[in-house]
Amino acid sequence: MKKFLSEFKTFIARGNVMDMAVGVIVGGAFSTIVNSFINDLMMPVLGIFLGGVDFSSWVIGLPNLFGGEPIPMNLGAFINNVVNFIVLALCVFVMIRALNRFKKKEEEKPAEPPKPDPQVELLTEIRDLLKK
């Protein structure tokens, strides 16, 4: 049991796992914000242009083969989820693109050339003096 706990502690302490956990938590919060943006801001504006139609209320009644009430197929909820996905994917794309540009700018800075070894420096000075 001690070995198992030790391995688990090592696994959790790795930077990649912690980064992934932070990413999942922030991603969940970001998804909530995007969902609110879609449902509370974007869909009502689209409803203005579509004559006040609310996508979430679009339901197609499928026939019930055994009699009774039709089975609802929530087409509007699916449309809302597709729009949520597209906006969320667009936001993630823009964020990744900005991060890549930032990293690229950091990589473009030329690194200082390493200082030569003191012995090499001394030999270079001797060579230059002998040339003169």
Side-chain angles (χ1 to χ4, degrees):
M1 185 68 169
K2 287 183 181 181
K3 184 178 179 185
F4 175 79
L5 291 176
S6 174
E7 288 177 14
F8 182 70
K9 183 179 176 184
T10 304
F11 172 75
I12 292 297
R14 287 184 188 162
N16 294 341
V17 174
M18 298 305 279
D19 293 342
M20 184 179 69
V22 170
V24 167
I25 292 168
V26 171
F30 185 69
S31 175
T32 303
I33 292 170
V34 171
N35 287 336
S36 177
F37 172 75
I38 298 293
N39 296 328
D40 301 331
L41 300 177
M42 198 167 140
M43 286 303 184
V45 172
L46 281 175
I48 291 171
F49 295 109
L50 297 175
V53 175
D54 181 17
F55 287 116
S56 62
S57 64
W58 285 9
V59 177
I60 296 175
L62 298 176
N64 190 340
L65 298 178
F66 301 104
E69 295 184 23
I71 301 169
M73 183 170 69
N74 297 322
L75 183 62
F78 177 73
I79 291 172
N80 280 346
N81 288 331
V82 168
V83 172
N84 281 350
F85 172 77
I86 290 171
V87 172
L88 186 61
L90 178 67
C91 291
V92 169
F93 171 73
V94 169
M95 287 178 17
I96 296 293
R97 189 171 178 213
L99 285 173
N100 286 342
R101 284 187 178 179
F102 179 72
K103 286 181 182 178
K104 188 175 182 182
K105 285 182 182 179
E106 285 182 353
E107 291 174 359
E108 286 177 359
K109 293 179 183 176
E112 290 185 23
K115 287 189 173 184
D117 188 27
Q119 289 179 349
V120 173
E121 212 172 285
L122 181 63
L123 289 172
T124 304
E125 289 177 14
I126 292 172
R127 181 196 65 197
D128 292 343
L129 288 173
L130 287 174
K131 281 184 180 179
K132 290 181 183 179

